[in-house]
Amino acid sequence: MAQVEPDRVLTEALAEIEATSDLTSLEAIRVRLLGRKGEVTAHLRAVSSLPKDERPAAGQAWNRVRGGLEGALEAREAALGSPGADTPSDDDFDFSLPGRRPPEGLPHVLMQTLDRLVEIFRSLGFSVADGPEVETTHYNFTALNIPEDHPTRDDHDSFFLAPDLLLRTQMSPVQIRTMEAQEPPVRVISPGRVYRRDHFDASHSPFFFQMEGLYVDTDVTLGDLKGTLREFVRRFFGKELGMRFRGSYFPFTEPSLELDISCTVCEGQGCAVCKQTGWVEILGCGMVHPNVLRGVGYDPEVVSGYAFGMGPDRITMLRHRIPDIRHLYENDLRFLSQFRGAS
Amino acid sequence: MRVPLPWLESFVELPSDGELATRLTAAGLECEVDAAPAVPDGVVTGRILSCEKHPDADRLSVCLVDVGDGGEPRSIVCGAPNAQADRIGACALPGTDFGNGFVIAKRKLRGVPSEGMLCSESELGLSDDHDGILFLPDDTPLGRPVGEILTRPRVLVTEALSNRGDWMSVRGVAREVSAVTGAAWKQGEARPVEADAGAWRVEIDDPADCPRYAGRVIEGLTVGDSPEWIAERLTAAGVRPISNLVDVTNYVLLEHGHPLHAFDLDKLTGTSIGVRRARGREALTTLDGKAHELTSDVLLITDGSGPVAAGGVMGGEATMVSEATTRVFLEGASFSPGRIRAGARSLRLTTDASARFERGVDPEGVPGALDRATELLLEMCPGARLTHAVDSYPEPAVAPRIALRRRTLPRLLGMEFSDEDVLRIFVSLGITLESADAEAWTVRPPSFRRDLLAEEDLVEEVARIHGYDRIPERMRGHTSRHVAESPRIGRQARSRRLLLSLGLVETITPSLVDRTRENAHSQGGEFFRDSVPLRNPLSQDRDALRGSLIPSLVQVLATNRARATSDLALFEVGRTWGGNPAGHVDERLRAAILLSGSGLDASGSVGGKSCDFFDMRGLLEVYVEGLWGHPLRLEEGAPSPLKSGRSASLFVQDQCVGFLGEAGASLRTAFDLPNELPVILAELDLEVEIESARSFEFAALPRYPGVHRDLAFVVQKRVRHADLASALTEAAGPLLVESRLFDVYEGAPLADTEKSLAFMLVFRSPERSLTHEEVDERVDAIVEHLKGLGARIR
C-alpha cells in the first residue's frame, strides 16, 4: 500500500463533508472512508504490517484521522437536520407512547384484603388453619356452646344438607378442629368462606368471607386481646386510630366484646359510612368460653384464650367505599381492575 | 326499642345525652339519642284568614295568612286538601331553610303570588304524616316560632343483645343506667292491691312451657281515651294510643317488659284458665282476624269453651276487648322462650309479645307488672275495682348460687380488682352477696338476670361495668409453638401466586349454583361432578353446592361479554363438592382457568391474538411444574362439557389431576356463547397428593460446550409430535441433552397431507468436547430411525 499522508486525507475529507448537502451523500462518504472496506479502515488495518518501530506513530495518526472524521460526520449530520439510523435525536423521541405491558395478574380485591390480614397476623405469630365448608352441627354449634334450642341453629338461618350437616355459618368450627388436633398453646387464624341463609341485596350475600383468630395458652388475658387488636389496627390501617371496645354477646366467648374504630372516612366526625356515629364496627371478640375449652379437652383452670372474628367483605367495602356486596361476587372486569395494586 | 327519655328519667337520674349513649353502648346496650330534627327557624304560627280555590288549578288553594307581624296578610298557595279558614297552621316564611337546598322563596304558582308555605307534620320532621297541613290549637298566639311550641320528647333508641331480654323495657334500661352511672333508683314499685282468687283457677299442663301464669279480674271499667301523659309516652315510644284498656297493656309491656293480655270477661266461659299445647285439628282465629289451624308447637290459653289465645303470641278474636268492654281478665305470664319461638313460627306470626318471650321474661316480675297495670286502670277508671287475683307458679325459680374466685379476675382480665370495686359492681347490678372469703365471693343474681349462670358470666359483668376501655392492654411475646399448616393451605397460596404471575385475573364466584343447570353439564361425571343439593335453599337458582368451578367461570365470561368484553384470562381457586349428603360429601379444593377471545394478549388491542389450546397448555405446564415440581403430561379424552377432539386429561406422575379443552356445545348453548369465540377451559384438583416430590439436588454444570443442530422433518399430518419427539430422543442416544420443537409448518411446497416439524437439538458429552463427525453420526441415525414414522428430512 502506497504511503499516504494522513493529514491530507483528513483535510480533503473534511472539505468534502462540509460540502455535502444531503444525508445520502454523507453516508456514502462515511462508507468510503470508515466503512468495513473503507480507506481509513484499511490504513488502520495496515498498521500491524508496518515495521515495529513505525507502528505507534502510524497508528496514532490514522486513529486521529478516524476520530476527526467521525466528529465531522456527526456534526454535519446534525446540521443537515435529520437523525440518522443509529443516533436518534432526543427531541423526536416520543416517550409518551404507551409501553408494551406484559400480561399482568390481578388479585381479586377481596383477596387483597385477606392477604393483608393474613400477612399481618402471620407476622404476629399466628399460623393459618382451615377446615371444611360443609360442617357438622357438632362443630358449627354444639362445640361452640350454642344450646340445642338456640335460634341460630334454626334452618331458617343456615343452609342444611342433612339434619346434622350444614354450610358453616362462621369460621369458629376451624378453631375447634385445631384445638382437638393439638395441645395448647395454639395460635391460629382461619380465613374462609361462610354461609348464611340470606337473599342477595346491597349488604347481604348468602356467602361471604370471615377471618377468625384464636390464641390459647397459659396466662392469656383480655389485656392481651386488646393489645394484639390494637397492634393489628395500627398495622392494617397504617396509623393510630381511635378504638372502642363494647360489651356484646356470643355464646362461645365470655366476656364478649365488639371493637369499633373511629371512622376512617370522616375521622370520627360523622358521615354516611359511619351513620353519623363516628365509629365503625370491625370485629367481634372475647375470651374463649370455658365450656368450649372443656369440650376440646383443655382444662380452663390451666389455660385461657381469646378469639376474634372479622368480615373481610365488610372491611373491603369500607376501605374502598364499595356500596354493594354483589360487586364482590360478580367479577365484572371493570370493577376488579379498579383495585390493581391496592393490596 | 324506643325509650322516651322523660319516661326513663322517672326511674333514674340521667347524665347528658352523649354520656348516656356512650356509657350504655360501652356496656353492651347499643343505643343513641334520637336527635329529632328541629323545626327550621322561620316557621311561625299563622292564622288562615281565608281559603279560596286557585283560579287555575283544581288541587291548589290560595290562603291569606296572618303571621302576627302586624303587616298585610300574606298570600300563600297551598296544595293540602285540608286547608281551611280560621285555623292556625305552621307557616314557613321566605328564607326558611329546610336543608338539602330546599329554601322557601317568594314566587308565583300558576300566576298567583305565594309568600311562604303551610307545612305538614312530615315537612316539619315531626312525623311521617303528610296527608295535610298541621293545625295548632285555636288559642295559639300568632307569629311564634313553631319550634318553641312543638317539642317532642327525646328518645333513646336501643338495640338489646339477644341474651339480654331484660333490656327490652324502660325499667330494664333504667337499671342498666343505674349500674353504669351509679345513679340511685328513684321510684318504688306499684302498690299491690289485694284480692283473692275466688272461683278462678289456672291449670298449667307443663311448667316447662309456662313457668308462671297469673291473672287479675278487674270490673267496672269504662273504655275511653288514655290520659295525655300516657298517650304522649306511647307515641314517643312508637306505639299508637288506642284506648285506655289497650294502652295500659302496651304501657306496661314497654315499662316492665312483660307482655300482658286483656280478655273481655263477658266473652270468656267459666272461671278456669288452662295452659296447654294445641291438640290435633284445633283452630283459633287470632285478633288480627286470621284463622289458624294449630300444631302442637302452639301453646294455647283455654277457657271453659276451648282455645282463647295463642299463649305468648296473640290473643283470640272471640275474646278480645272492645269499646263496650267493662270487665277484663288481665293475663300476665312467663312462657318458655323455645316454646314461644316454635309457636310463633308455626303460626307465622311475630308480635311484640312473642319477641319478648323469645328472649325470656322473668317469672318473678309477673305480679309487679300486673300490679302496675291494675294501678293504672284503677286510676283511669274511677269506678273500676279489682275483684279477683289468681297466680299459678308451680315451681318457683331459684337463682343459682355462683362463686367468683378472686384469682379468676386477674387471670382472665389481666388486672387486679379491689374487694370494694367488685362489691360496688355487684350492688349496682342487683347481685346479692351471700358470702365472701379469702378465696371467692359467693353471690346470687337477681331473678331478671337469667343470663348469669356461672363464674365466667360474673367476670363479664365486672369487666363490663368497670369498663372495657379501662382494662390495660398488653401483648405477649411470640412464644407460641408454630402450628403446622395443612398442605392444602400452601397449595392454595402457591396456586394463586403462580396463576397471578402468569397474568391471570383472580375471581371469586358463587359456590351455590342452580342444580338443574349445573348437572346438565356434568352428567354425573367423575371429575366434572354433579352438584350437591341443599335441603333448604332460598331460591332455585342457588339450590346446590357446585361440583366444578368451570360453569362459575363461564358465567363470569357471560356476564362480562354482556357488558364490555369477551377477552378474558381468569382463574379461581375455590372449593367444589361431590357425593351425597346422606353418605359422604367430598369437598375438594380446585383451581380453574378460563381463556377467551384475545384475553391473553396483553396489548389490549381490539382483534389481538386469539388464545387457543396451546396457550392454555403452555400456561398449565408452567403452573403444574411450579406447583408440583413435575412436568405435565396430557392424555386423550376429557369430560363431556369440553369439545371432544379438542380436549385432554392432565397427568402428573401418573395421577390424573384435571383436564383442559375448548368449551363444548352444551356450555356454549347454556351461556349463549357464539361458536367463533375461542373459549379454553382447564380445571385441576389441588387435593391430589403427588408422592415422589423431586429432590432438587444440585447437578454439576456442564464443562464442555454443546453442539447445536436444527432438523426439520416432513411427516404425514396424522403423525403426532409426541411420537416423533420420543422416537427422536430414542435414536439420538445419551449425547442428546436437549430437543425442542421450534416450528410447525403446513402448506406449499408440502403436500396437503403433510406437515413439517422443526427441532432444535443440542448434543453434549459430560467428559469431552464432541467432534462434528460424532454429531453427524447421531443425526444420521436419527434420520434413519424416523423413516420408520414416514419422516423425511426437509
Side-chain angles (χ1 to χ4, degrees):
Chain A
M1 187 176 290
Q3 279 286 328
V4 183
E5 190 89 30
D7 288 344
R8 188 175 52 80
V9 171
L10 180 62
T11 317
E12 284 177 11
L14 289 178
E16 201 180 347
I17 288 167
E18 201 54 39
T20 51
S21 57
D22 65 288
L23 290 167
T24 316
S25 35
L26 193 70
E27 177 64 9
I29 296 171
R30 193 190 65 78
V31 170
R32 179 163 57 76
L33 295 169
L34 299 179
R36 210 149 48 88
K37 295 175 178 169
E39 191 183 334
V40 177
T41 313
H43 283 298
L44 274 163
R45 275 205 198 110
V47 168
S48 60
S49 56
L50 290 175
K52 204 171 180 181
D53 54 340
E54 292 177 23
R55 287 182 206 166
Q60 274 174 20
W62 286 110
N63 268 321
R64 199 172 61 242
V65 173
R66 183 169 67 181
L69 288 176
E70 280 172 352
L73 283 165
E74 197 177 313
R76 185 65 193 152
E77 190 176 289
L80 288 175
S82 173
D86 297 328
T87 55
S89 153
D90 289 350
D91 288 344
D92 292 350
F93 176 72
D94 186 358
F95 64 83
S96 71
L97 288 170
R100 281 175 216 104
R101 297 179 72 123
E104 43 191 342
L106 175 58
H108 192 284
V109 61
L110 182 53
M111 297 305 288
Q112 295 189 38
T113 303
L114 264 170
D115 285 347
R116 204 169 140 79
L117 293 173
V118 169
E119 184 191 313
I120 289 172
F121 281 102
R122 271 190 197 277
S123 73
L124 291 174
F126 290 78
S127 308
V128 180
D130 82 343
E133 289 177 27
V134 172
E135 261 300 0
T136 61
T137 49
H138 170 77
Y139 284 108
N140 199 71
F141 298 127
T142 312
L144 292 164
N145 195 37
I146 298 171
E148 287 293 337
D149 64 345
H150 196 280
T152 188
R153 287 184 176 242
D154 217 284
D155 63 4
H156 188 262
D157 296 333
S158 315
F159 288 116
F160 280 84
L161 286 90
D164 59 348
L165 213 57
L166 78 164
L167 297 181
R168 67 183 174 200
T169 60
Q170 52 203 350
M171 289 307 294
S172 313
V174 177
Q175 300 187 2
I176 303 299
R177 289 175 176 275
T178 308
M179 287 191 283
E180 279 182 350
Q182 68 167 92
E183 290 297 310
V186 167
R187 191 180 342 216
V188 291
I189 48 168
S190 47
R193 206 192 286 235
V194 300
Y195 299 79
R196 299 276 166 88
R197 201 161 167 271
D198 281 325
H199 282 288
F200 261 125
D201 65 25
S203 51
H204 293 88
S205 165
F207 35 78
F208 51 96
F209 283 73
Q210 262 196 0
M211 198 195 80
E212 294 197 349
L214 169 77
Y215 178 30
V216 180
D217 202 343
T218 52
D219 187 30
V220 176
T221 71
L222 187 63
D224 294 308
L225 171 62
K226 287 183 65 185
T228 304
L229 290 178
R230 180 171 303 277
E231 182 60 21
F232 156 67
V233 166
R234 195 181 282 138
R235 293 194 193 184
F236 188 83
F237 294 98
K239 58 181 172 188
E240 295 289 339
L241 284 177
M243 286 170 61
R244 173 172 92 164
F245 286 92
R246 284 186 284 115
S248 190
Y249 169 67
F250 309 110
F252 32 87
T253 48
E254 190 82 41
S256 298
L257 299 82
E258 272 170 279
L259 172 60
D260 297 340
I261 54 167
S262 66
C263 180
T264 52
V265 174
C266 61
E267 307 206 318
Q269 297 306 300
C271 66
V273 171
C274 60
K275 300 191 183 101
Q276 308 303 326
T277 63
W279 295 101
V280 178
E281 179 188 325
I282 64 160
L283 57 83
C285 57
M287 300 301 291
V288 182
H289 199 287
N291 290 350
V292 173
L293 295 175
R294 263 179 229 120
V296 298
Y298 287 8
D299 183 352
E301 297 294 316
V302 177
V303 293
S304 53
Y306 63 68
F308 55 85
M310 59 186 92
D313 298 64
R314 190 179 140 68
I315 293 176
T316 303
M317 291 169 74
L318 277 174
R319 281 181 79 203
H320 302 292
R321 303 198 205 170
I322 298 166
D324 192 323
I325 194 171
R326 285 170 288 202
H327 283 305
L328 298 179
Y329 298 104
E330 207 171 54
N331 301 287
D332 186 321
L333 260 288
R334 297 168 303 176
F335 169 79
L336 295 178
S337 54
Q338 290 177 17
F339 308 101
R340 186 183 296 287
S343 80
Chain B
M1 179 182 177
R2 294 176 57 84
V3 181
L5 289 184
W7 198 345
L8 190 60
E9 204 157 21
S10 71
F11 292 101
V12 68
E13 204 72 53
L14 299 181
S16 72
D17 289 0
E19 197 187 339
L20 177 68
T22 305
R23 306 268 307 253
L24 288 179
T25 299
L29 178 53
E30 225 179 323
C31 62
E32 57 182 357
V33 175
D34 182 9
V39 173
D41 290 342
V43 182
V44 299
T45 53
R47 183 181 298 278
I48 303 170
L49 301 175
S50 67
C51 180
E52 308 287 336
K53 224 175 180 30
H54 189 292
D56 285 328
D58 285 347
R59 297 198 181 162
L60 299 179
S61 45
V62 181
C63 302
L64 279 179
V65 183
D66 175 5
V67 294
D69 56 357
E72 287 285 301
R74 290 166 190 250
S75 158
I76 292 177
V77 178
C78 178
N82 65 339
Q84 55 175 294
D86 286 332
R87 297 295 304 264
I88 292 182
C91 177
L93 300 176
T96 303
D97 187 353
F98 283 87
N100 298 327
F102 177 38
V103 181
I104 301 295
K106 282 190 193 181
R107 59 195 188 113
K108 282 191 174 176
L109 279 168
R110 295 276 182 106
V112 176
S114 185
E115 304 170 65
M117 179 177 84
L118 290 165
C119 307
S120 68
E121 286 194 27
S122 87
E123 280 155 348
L124 296 175
L126 296 170
S127 77
D128 292 336
D129 188 350
H130 52 80
D131 289 345
I133 56 175
L134 164 74
F135 290 127
L136 295 159
D138 290 340
D139 54 358
T140 310
L142 301 186
R144 289 277 306 281
V146 172
E148 287 177 14
I149 294 171
L150 292 179
T151 52
R152 275 196 320 171
R154 287 165 303 142
V155 174
L156 190 71
V157 183
T158 63
E159 187 130 2
L161 293 173
S162 64
N163 66 331
R164 293 300 303 268
D166 63 302
W167 278 344
M168 292 177 77
S169 67
V170 178
R171 285 163 52 99
V173 173
R175 276 194 301 258
E176 196 61 34
V177 172
S178 159
V180 298
T181 65
W185 195 252
K186 288 207 272 195
Q187 193 180 307
E189 300 302 312
R191 192 171 38 84
V193 184
E194 299 294 329
D196 62 25
W200 286 91
R201 295 285 175 271
V202 171
E203 288 292 329
I204 298 174
D205 216 33
D206 182 356
D209 285 343
C210 174
R212 187 169 198 171
Y213 190 99
R216 299 277 192 275
V217 178
I218 301 169
E219 307 196 25
L221 294 164
T222 320
V223 174
D225 283 345
S226 293
E228 189 99 328
W229 67 275
I230 287 198
E232 252 174 35
R233 284 185 175 183
L234 288 178
T235 306
V239 176
R240 190 179 283 272
I242 294 168
S243 70
N244 51 6
L245 207 48
V246 176
D247 293 352
V248 162
T249 57
N250 283 333
Y251 188 90
V252 175
L253 171 75
L254 292 171
E255 187 172 273
H256 289 242
H258 281 266
L260 302 180
H261 180 68
F263 295 97
D264 189 329
L265 196 48
D266 290 328
K267 297 172 187 164
L268 279 184
T269 308
T271 55
S272 190
I273 298 292
V275 184
R276 62 163 172 84
R277 302 273 194 101
R279 299 176 188 134
R281 295 183 183 275
E282 277 185 306
L284 177 71
T285 300
T286 42
L287 51 77
D288 57 0
K290 295 206 175 97
H292 300 272
E293 262 194 50
L294 306 173
T295 69
S296 64
D297 275 333
V298 178
L299 195 64
L300 283 181
I301 310 302
T302 61
D303 68 356
S305 68
V308 291
V313 183
M314 195 179 271
E317 190 179 41
T319 52
M320 67 190 276
V321 294
S322 69
E323 289 183 8
T325 300
T326 59
R327 320 192 287 151
V328 295
F329 179 87
L330 196 60
E331 162 202 293
S334 172
F335 298 110
S336 117
R339 176 53 36 227
I340 298 307
R341 188 177 312 119
R345 280 197 59 198
S346 161
L347 293 165
R348 296 171 190 278
L349 265 179
T350 304
T351 59
D352 282 342
S354 70
R356 289 212 170 47
F357 284 121
E358 284 183 31
R359 299 221 193 172
V361 164
D362 174 20
E364 297 289 323
V366 169
L370 283 171
D371 287 342
R372 176 67 166 148
T374 305
E375 181 183 52
L376 289 170
L377 282 175
L378 299 191
E379 210 174 283
M380 285 180 203
C381 308
R385 63 193 189 285
L386 178 76
T387 56
H388 297 290
V390 63
D391 188 356
S392 175
Y393 190 20
E395 294 161 19
V398 179
R401 179 187 284 125
I402 312 170
L404 172 59
R405 290 164 297 173
R406 290 172 189 270
R407 67 177 187 92
T408 305
L409 289 175
R411 196 171 81 83
L412 292 178
L413 301 179
M415 68 176 285
E416 302 282 344
F417 288 85
S418 70
D419 203 57
E420 194 189 341
D421 286 341
V422 173
L423 294 182
R424 199 192 57 241
I425 289 169
F426 286 162
V427 169
S428 76
L429 291 166
I431 295 171
T432 317
L433 183 72
E434 294 222 321
S435 66
D437 56 31
E439 285 288 300
W441 299 275
T442 304
V443 302
R444 283 192 197 272
S447 65
F448 51 82
R449 291 300 304 274
R450 295 154 58 97
D451 59 312
L452 301 184
L453 298 166
E455 183 181 34
E456 55 271 14
D457 302 320
L458 297 178
V459 172
E460 177 172 80
E461 291 309 297
V462 171
R464 198 171 68 79
I465 300 301
H466 175 75
Y468 288 122
D469 282 330
R470 292 168 61 204
I471 292 174
E473 290 171 15
R474 172 179 93 151
M475 197 163 72
R476 288 192 57 184
H478 304 150
T479 55
S480 279
R481 196 176 63 217
H482 181 73
V483 178
E485 295 184 354
S486 81
R488 176 195 260 185
I489 288 165
R491 225 170 275 152
Q492 175 166 12
R494 261 223 319 258
S495 288
R496 291 186 52 233
R497 218 162 39 231
L498 282 162
L499 295 170
L500 286 170
S501 76
L502 289 166
L504 304 180
V505 173
E506 181 176 31
T507 63
I508 304 176
T509 62
S511 40
L512 296 176
V513 296
D514 181 330
R515 179 164 164 75
T516 314
R517 187 167 169 162
E518 180 101 344
N519 290 5
H521 307 307
S522 59
Q523 295 165 0
E526 256 183 53
F527 196 94
F528 213 109
R529 302 178 294 181
D530 277 351
S531 57
V532 179
L534 301 178
R535 273 165 72 102
N536 59 337
L538 264 180
S539 59
Q540 189 233 307
D541 65 335
R542 303 210 184 280
D543 62 355
L545 284 165
R546 63 184 170 191
S548 161
L549 301 174
I550 291 293
S552 302
L553 284 189
V554 179
Q555 176 63 56
V556 173
L557 168 59
T559 302
N560 279 282
R561 200 174 97 80
R563 295 178 182 179
T565 180
S566 316
D567 301 326
L568 301 173
L570 311 171
F571 79 93
E572 176 168 17
V573 177
R575 302 194 190 184
T576 63
W577 292 265
N580 176 357
H584 172 64
V585 174
D586 181 35
E587 183 170 318
R588 301 188 85 84
L589 183 69
R590 288 187 176 180
I593 306 173
L594 175 148
L595 302 178
S596 64
S598 57
L600 261 195
D601 188 336
S603 69
S605 59
V606 177
K609 182 191 165 299
S610 284
C611 45
D612 66 14
F613 184 94
F614 299 101
D615 288 317
M616 180 66 94
R617 177 175 179 165
L619 215 140
L620 290 171
E621 285 172 359
V622 177
Y623 170 43
V624 161
E625 283 166 27
L627 185 64
W628 277 298
H630 288 287
L632 178 70
R633 196 163 55 75
L634 266 54
E635 279 187 16
E636 231 169 319
S640 57
L642 301 181
K643 192 169 172 182
S644 70
R646 294 292 180 95
S647 54
S649 296
L650 307 174
F651 280 80
V652 177
Q653 294 288 84
D654 290 332
Q655 289 210 64
C656 181
V657 297
F659 57 82
L660 89 153
E662 295 180 15
S666 79
L667 282 171
R668 286 185 186 271
T669 310
F671 293 96
D672 196 20
L673 301 173
N675 281 327
E676 57 274 18
L677 177 70
V679 181
I680 324 292
L681 302 161
E683 183 164 21
L684 289 92
D685 191 317
L686 302 185
E687 309 277 351
V688 176
E689 296 289 339
I690 302 297
E691 289 198 356
S692 53
R694 267 178 58 197
S695 65
F696 295 99
E697 216 170 84
F698 172 75
L701 299 178
R703 295 173 59 194
Y704 299 97
V707 179
H708 158 217
R709 292 291 163 88
D710 292 344
L711 289 179
F713 295 96
V714 176
V715 290
Q716 292 296 305
K717 281 179 177 171
R718 62 182 155 71
V719 175
R720 295 241 161 120
H721 158 260
D723 296 332
L724 198 68
S726 67
L728 187 154
T729 311
E730 186 190 321
L735 293 180
L736 180 70
V737 294
E738 190 185 343
S739 152
R740 187 155 49 85
L741 179 76
F742 70 89
D743 188 38
V744 179
Y745 177 76
E746 294 177 3
L750 304 181
D752 281 351
T753 57
E754 290 178 329
K755 63 182 173 184
S756 156
L757 300 176
F759 292 86
M760 194 278 294
L761 308 178
V762 179
F763 296 88
R764 185 190 291 125
S765 160
E767 287 138 16
R768 61 199 157 81
S769 293
L770 293 178
T771 65
H772 284 285
E773 289 71 20
E774 275 177 298
V775 174
D776 288 344
E777 215 172 275
R778 293 329 309 161
V779 168
D780 290 345
I782 290 169
V783 172
E784 193 56 35
H785 187 70
L786 293 192
K787 281 180 183 163
L789 289 169
R792 65 171 197 275
I793 280 284
R794 190 174 168 197

